[in-house]
Structure formats: C-alpha cells, structure tokens
C-alpha cells in the first residue's frame, strides 16, 4: 500500500524511547511527512487505517496476564479449606475400603467446585462487560469529513481534534492550538495545566531524554483539555503511549470490594463461626454416642459446605453486575458497582434543565431589535431586509459560533445554541459568514462568564484595519458591555437607562414564554477578554421543549419520596415557566422562602441559611457549576442523599461530591463522564427514574436470596443437630447435604437476583444509607421459613422411620422433602410483600428454568440407577411425591399468609420498613 507507514519510521513501544519523546522535537511538517498523513485531511482511506491498525493493534491498554480456565478451575480445590477437608474424607474412605463413599464424595466435590467455578467465571465476565459499557470516543478528521469514532480504532497518522472538556484520545503531536491548556496531573503530577504549542522542542536544551512535562508540543492519552481547543496527529497508541507504562504498573493492583460485598463477607464470616460451632457440637455428640468418627467427620464437613454461605459474596457481585447490565439496556450506565447500592437511598435529584429535562434541541422562536414594538415570530421564509439591526444580530450569531457543518449529513454539529443560530439563517435566506472571515481572537463561552466573544477580519488576518468584535450572551451581562444601540435604519444612538429598561422588558417578555434569551452586540478592536464600548444589536429567544415523559417521571419520583430540584443558567422568569410546564412544584412562601433562587444569592448566604432555604427552594436560576457545589454540600449537611446531573468540565467537582453524580452521554464532556457514577446515554431525565427503580429492585432482590439461603442453612443445621442430639440416625447423608448446597448456591438462588422490577417499588420511600441488609424483619421471615422446612422435613423423617430402622427409602423421602421445601421457599422469596398471584408465576422465566431444572435433577437423583447408588436413594411412588408436595408447600402457604396479614395491618407500606 503506497501510503502505509514504514515500520522503521515509527518508534514502537518503550524499548528506546516513546514516540512523544521523538516527535516533540520534530516540526509539524516533519511529523506529517514521517507518518505519511495530511495536516488538513488526516488519513485519506479506511484501508490505510486498517493496515496500520494491523501493525500497531488497537488503541487500548489490555491486560495480557490472564490465567487459563483450567488453572483457575484447579485453584478452586486448594483455595477452599472445606473442599480440602472433603478430599481428605474421600481419601480416608478409599483407604479404609469404603470405595462407594469415596467415589460419591469425590463426585460431589467435582459438582460443588464446578458450580463455584461457573459462578466466579460468570461474575468476572459480567464485570468485564461493565468496563465495555463506557467506550471512549475521539473526534476524527478523515478526508473531507469529521466524525466521532471509538478511540480504540485510532492509528498513528490519524488527525484528531479536541476542545475544552475532552480527553486526549492517544499520544498526539499538536498541529493546531488556540489557547490550548491541558491538565496532565494524572500523568506528571503537576497541578497546573500546561500551555501547549505547535513549535518543536529543542533537544539541545536537555542533557538526555526530554522529560514528559516539558514536551509541550505533544498531548498525551488520557489527559484533559482544560481550556481552548486544538488538533493533533496521532503518534502513539495503546501501550506505545506514555500511559502504557503507567498501566503496566497498575495491572497488578486488585480492585477494592464494594461496601455491600464487604458487609456480605462479614456476614458470611459471622455465620461461618456460628455454623462451625454448631457443627463441632454435632460431631462431638455423635462420637460420644458411639458413631463412627469418619462418618461424623464426613457429615460435619458436608454440613459446613452446605451451611456456610461461601457463595454469598459471589452471588451479590453477579446480582449487582447483572443489574447494572439491565440498567445499561435502559440507557443508564453505572460506572461503579458501589453506586448501585446508593441509588435506592437517593431522596433529592438536582437536575440541569437543558438537555436533561428538555430535549436540548434549540430553535430560534423570536427575534427583537430596539425599534420593534413587538418581537418578530420566526417562520419559514421570513425576511430581515431593510432591518440592519436584525441583519447584524443574525451575522453576529453566525460568526460568534463554534458549531461545525458536516457536508455529508448536511447539518451542523456542536453546542445546541450555536446550532440553532446557524439553522435560523436558512429561514432568512442567509448563509454562514464564517468561511469568509478569519478569527483572530476568541474568549470562549463559560457558565461563569455567561458570554462569548470573538474578533475576526474579512479575508485573512493580514487585512488592513481593526478586527470586528462580536459578543453574545445573557442579556443582563451583555448590556453591561454596551454604551450604544444599533437601530433598524443602521444608525447608532446612545444607550441610556430608559433604553436598558426597554431591552430588559423585551427580554423578560420572551423569558415569561419559557424562551432562553441571548443578547448580541458588536464593536471593533483586537482583544476579546474585556469587551466594552459595544453596540447592542438585538436579542433572540430560543425554545427548548420539555422531554416527553419528564412530567410523569417527576410525579413518580415525588410519590417515592424523591424531591427534584431544577438548576439552570436561564433567568428566573424562564425557569419558572419551564418548571410549571414539567410539574416541578413552586410552592415557596414569601421573603427568603421563595421557591426560585438566583445563583448570586447563594454566594451571599451562609451554609446554615442555604440549608434552611432547601425546605422550599425547588428551582435555582442563573446558577453556575460553582453554585452546584454549595447546593450539594447544603443538602448533604441536612442528611439528604443527593444525585446531581452535569455535563461540563466545571460540573466535575459537584458530580464527584454528590452521592450519585450523573453525566450526560451525548453532550457530556469526558471529564464529566469520568467524575460521574452514572451516565445517561440518551441524556433523558426519565432514565434516572428507571435507574432508581433498578437500584431499589437490586437491593430488594439481594435481600430475597439472602432470606432463601439463610433459611436453607438454618433448616439443614437444625435437622442434623436435632437428630444427633436425640440419638437418631442422620436424616441426610453427606452426598445429599452437598446436593442441597448446590441448589442453595446454584441457579435457584441466582435467579432470585434477577427478579423483574416491581412497578410499585417507587411508591416506597428511599432506603436509609445506614440501613442493615440483615434486618430484624428479614431475620424473622428467615426463621419462619426455616421453621416450616425443619418441622415438615422432620415430620416426614419420623413418619417414615416407624420401625426404628433407617432405610434408603426413609432418607430418600426426607431428602426429597427437604429439596421440595427449598423450591417452594424460593418461590415465596421472590417478593417480600407481594403474593405469588400478584407478581405472576411466569414473570421471571430464568427462575422458572432454574427451579424446573432443579426438580428434574432431584427426580434424576431418585430414579436414575447410577445416581441412586451415589446418593443412596431409591425410587418413590406417585403417592409419595404427592405427600411430599403437600407437606413442602406449607412453607409457601405460610409465607403467603404472612404477606396477607402484613398488608391488612399496614406493615408493608414503607420501603424503609421493609429493609
């Protein structure tokens, strides 16, 4: 291929020095020549890019150190001391001539280990899937088009652009920079952003390799654009980047467990100590009674395997991970597992208006200039002919603009406000003026400034005469820069107090209709940092309609005890109109208890004053990202659990501070996404409701399978303990106990973790953050279920053992009764408050398959000859099975009665009570 990169021209890896150490000393032209690429068009063909990708691989930092599945399976045997004890028991049985017992125990061990291995493997794969939910993107220039692509597809020679808030997608040689400041603290440790340049670094100034923090002509993968914008040619990808070396050091660091996993570990250990104590007593009593020590040792170890919930943390991880994957299907991506636990506790959501509560599709609806008696309604084929003030307003909107036109799909991309200002030109039969002008200076828009200014000249930067300065922004700010007004007849008149009042009245009139109002002004000069002496030309009102289901979502959240606070940069009037349209209550009182608060008031309030105001305030107008920090702190000081939305660079601190930071997937900057706990892929507020529903459901499901596992463990221990204490033969042999363990930790338990969301779950108030997962209510429910299983199984055991001799039929009836009790118990554990008739038997297909498979497995154990020998069972008749079903169903009937009585007494009305 003619344009392919010669391998000798590219530094590979870090064998000698990284690509950035080489390319930072080369000029932009030399870099392009060496990489066979264009500084304007990047790589011309996809075939060329594919060839280079074949040489250099994907632009990702993958960990190559992976153990084989066989080795990880073998680890299951020696990492669990209980399994080692069972192996010892099998070995002793073999040497003492009990060949059948040895084979049976060995087979059971293989089954138990396989189930555990599959669980861990499934957990790991689920977690790996989570890491792929948040792909990194890059703005790629290829040929005539600019597109957003996955950063993993970049290759050396690609031309990429980046602006404030973006992460640099690979190591790049800077080719264009406008006030480009990049934060490299995550790589170099330097706190101050580095001003980047296109000029090469002189290597003679350094005795050896140029330090990373001195390579000002390069940008590095993963670093953050803090200010300005620029472009660069990719020089290093994947492990050839500076971060490649850092990743190699990070790959061996283990990830910390979530708080819920830690609490499950502690619960498992506490239950293990209790179980070991009971099992020890059982073994001692059995030996004292004259039973064989090998028999009691095998029974004891089997009981330990069954009773100790060693699989509990794994099932919790799987449930959390699968819940997160379900959220992703509902367009909410959780970046951190612990955040799932917090979702059900959220009682305040602070939401941006634009793009979250509204569609983020701006349309210019009205325009107004100083001489107009009323605003002009914008429609197709409207004319600005003869109105110089309106023509200048449209020109400023076009020129003071950072949207980009894509010739392929024939539309603008960029900030919604800028897109609207370009789209409106077509209605006036005007064209974008930027191709005819050269920008010489720019002060970009920021939420704190609330304005943007550019200086430009017609033709090129060498044109004679001063540059034209164009400014757009919030009307109250832009008016401070103006001392004159441009009239419709192209005359300039002084702007006095009466003129300012006239403009403000017109702007507030638009704001009352729910429009976002921007003012426009022009002047001359070379600088844009401190505009002054400008001429006001006009204002435009833009409409951003509310999202379709946002009112319904706000109402549902309110039903569940979640307050929604709207935060916007718009004026109070616009904010009030939108709030009423979407159903946010404006029920504030008078004086300091207003429902709407301006951002500037926050700056003059103490933290205590702001906390008190939170009782009534539901809208913050003219607010900045800095105000968000104070709002979050005030709410958290009151004890609220806060979710905060944001999309900009300056939103990152508030997103980090909030209990749940929520970033936008479409409009959010990379730094906002990385600071957030959750990303909305559709930027829709209603998705937050879906995520909170899933969060509450996940925690409820974890409690349900915890009830199932603990009731089974308690029943099994109690059954063997009572039989041993009373001097009765053991009702369950070691193989049968291990089979029960497989059911307890296997598919039936895991399927409880994927129970569908209860539609009424949002009627429950948020859970307290410090609420324990094992509550007294859950423990009582567990003991009740365990009592039904214990009493029913013991009844069958005693009923069958009338002659005082334990036969294979007796243990088969007892064993099968216990298993069927387990299946009915699992059915009752699907919901803590709802009857099985309410949730529907067919609503959880995975559960039905798991229970159906377990029942078929149990039938195989009692009817297949080979398994009969292994588990020491014999075939049962139809009447036997009907009796077992009748007895074992009592655990479900008892639980259904509990739910009915609870509803009658009103116990099950609150989520905080339930958990």
């Amino acid at each position: 291929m003619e344009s392919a990169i010669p391998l000798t021209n590219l530094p590979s890896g870090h064998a000698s020095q990284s690509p950035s150490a080489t390319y930072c000393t080369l000029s932009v032209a030399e870099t392009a020549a060496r990489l066979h690429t264009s500084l304007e068009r990047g790589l011309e063909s996809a075939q060329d890019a594919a060839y280079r990708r074949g040489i250099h691989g994907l632009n990702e930092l993958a960990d190559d150190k992976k153990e084989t599945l066989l080795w990880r399976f073998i680890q299951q045997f020696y990492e669990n001391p209980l399994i080692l004890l069972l192996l010892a028991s099998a070995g002793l049985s073999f040497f003492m001539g009990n060949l059948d017992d040895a084979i049976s125990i060995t087979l059971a061990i293989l089954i138990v280990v396989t189930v555990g291995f599959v669980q861990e493997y499934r957990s790991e794969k689920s977690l790996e899937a989570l890491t792929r939910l948040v792909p990194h993107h890059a703005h790629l220039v290829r040929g005539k088009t600019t597109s957003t692509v996955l950063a993993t597809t970049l290759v050396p020679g690609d031309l990429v652009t980046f602006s404030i808030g973006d992460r640099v997608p690979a190591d790049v040689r800077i080719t264009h920079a406008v006030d480009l400041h990049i934060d490299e603290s995550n790589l170099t440790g330097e706190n101050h952003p580095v001003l980047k340049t296109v000029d090469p670094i002189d290597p003679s100034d350094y005795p050896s390799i140029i330090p990373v923090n001195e390579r000002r002509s390069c940008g590095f993968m993963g670093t953050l654009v803090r200010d300005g914008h620029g472009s660069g040619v990719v020089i290093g990808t994947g492990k050839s980047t500076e971060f490649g070396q850092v990743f190699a050091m990070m790959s061996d660091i283990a990830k910390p467990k979530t708080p819920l996993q830690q609490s499950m570990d502690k619960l498992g250990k506490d239950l293990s100590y209790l179980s070991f104590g009971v099992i020890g007593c059982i073994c001692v009593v059995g030996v004292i009674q004259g039973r064989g020590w090998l028999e009691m040792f095998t029974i004891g170890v089997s009981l330990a395997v069954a009773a100790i919930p060693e699989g509990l943390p794994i099932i919790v991880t799987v449930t959390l991970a699968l819940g997160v994957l379900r959220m992703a299907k509902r367009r909410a991506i959780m970046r951190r597992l612990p955040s799932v636990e917090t979702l059900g506790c959220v009682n305040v959501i602070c939401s941006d208006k634009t793009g979250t509560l509204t569609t983020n599709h701006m349309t210019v609806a009205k325009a107004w200039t100083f001489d107009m008696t009323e605003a002009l309604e914008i429609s197709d084929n409207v004319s600005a002919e003869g109105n110089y003030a309106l023509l200048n307003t449209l020109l400023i909107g076009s020129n003071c603009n950072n949207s980009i036109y894509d010739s392929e799909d024939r539309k603008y991309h960029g900030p919604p406000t800028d897109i609207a200002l370009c789209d409106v030109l077509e209605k006036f039969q005007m064209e974008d003026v930027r191709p005819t002008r050269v920008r010489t200076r720019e002060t970009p828009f920021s939420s704190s400034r609330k304005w943007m200014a550019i200086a430009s000249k017609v033709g090129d930067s060498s044109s004679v005469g001063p540059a034209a300065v164009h400014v757009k922004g919030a009307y109250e700010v832009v008016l401070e820069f103006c001392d004159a007004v441009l009239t419709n007849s192209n005359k300039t008149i002084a702007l006095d107090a009466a003129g300012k009042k006239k403009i403000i009245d017109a702007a507030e009139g638009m704001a009352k209709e729910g429009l976002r109002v921007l003012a426009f002004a022009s002047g001359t000069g070379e600088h844009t940092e401190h505009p002054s002496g400008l001429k006001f030309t006009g204002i435009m009102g833009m409409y951003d309609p509310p999202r379709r289901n946002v009112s319904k979502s706000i109402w549902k959240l309110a039903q569940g005890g979640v307050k929604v606070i709207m935060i916007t940069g718009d004026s109070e009037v616009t904010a009030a109109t939108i709030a009423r349209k979407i159903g946010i209550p404006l029920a504030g009182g008078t004086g300091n208890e207003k429902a709407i608060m301006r951002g500037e008031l926050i700056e003059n309030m103490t933290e205590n004053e702001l906390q008190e105001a939170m009782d009534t305030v539901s809208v913050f107008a003219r607010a900045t990202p800095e105000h968000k920090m104070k709002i979050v702190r005030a709410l958290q000081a009151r004890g609220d659990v806060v979710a905060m939305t944001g999309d900009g660079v300056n939103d990152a601190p508030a997103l980090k501070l909030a209990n749940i930071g929520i970033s936008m997937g479409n409009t959010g900057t990379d730094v906002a996404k990385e600071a957030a706990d959750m990303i909305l892929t559709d930027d829709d507020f209603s998705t937050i409701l879906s995520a909170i529903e899933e969060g509450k459901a996940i925690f409820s499901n974890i409690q349900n399978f915890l009830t199932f596992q603990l009731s089974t463990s308690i029943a099994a221990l109690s059954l063997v303990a009572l039989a041993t204490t009373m001097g009765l033969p053991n009702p369950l042999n070691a193989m049968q106990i291990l089979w029960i363990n497989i059911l307890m930790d296997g598919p039936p338990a895991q399927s409880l973790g994927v129970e569908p969301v209860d539609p009424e779950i949002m009627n429950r108030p948020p859970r307290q953050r410090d609420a324990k997962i094992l509550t007294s209510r859950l423990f009582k429910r567990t003991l009740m279920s365990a009592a039904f299983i214990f009493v029913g199984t013991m009844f069958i055991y005693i009923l069958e053992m009338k002659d005082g001799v334990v036969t294979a039929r007796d243990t088969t009836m007892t064993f099968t009764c216990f298993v069927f009790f387990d299946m009915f118990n699992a059915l009752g554990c699907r919901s803590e408050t709802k009857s099985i008739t309410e949730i529907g038997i067919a609503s959880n297909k995975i559960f039905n398959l798991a229970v159906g498979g377990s029942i078929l497995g149990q039938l195989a154990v009692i009817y297949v000859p080979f398994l009969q020998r292994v588990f020491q069972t014999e075939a049962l008749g139809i009447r036997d099975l009907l009796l077992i079903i009748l007895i074992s169903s009592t655990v479900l009937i008892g639980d259904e009665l509990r739910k009915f009585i609870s509803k009658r007494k009103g116990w099950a009305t609150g989520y905080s009570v339930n958990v």
Side-chain angles (χ1 to χ4, degrees), residues 269-285:
K269 287 179 181 177
D270 292 343
L271 292 173
S272 298
Y273 296 144
L274 179 63
S275 299
F276 272 127
V278 175
I279 292 165
C281 292
I282 291 173
C283 291
V284 171
V285 171

Side-chain angles (χ1 to χ4, degrees), residues 9 163 196 316 324 364 447 517 519 561 648 761 907:
N9 285 354
S163 57
K196 293 297 181 177
V316 168
V324 170
V364 178
S447 54
V517 184
I761 202 164
W907 292 348

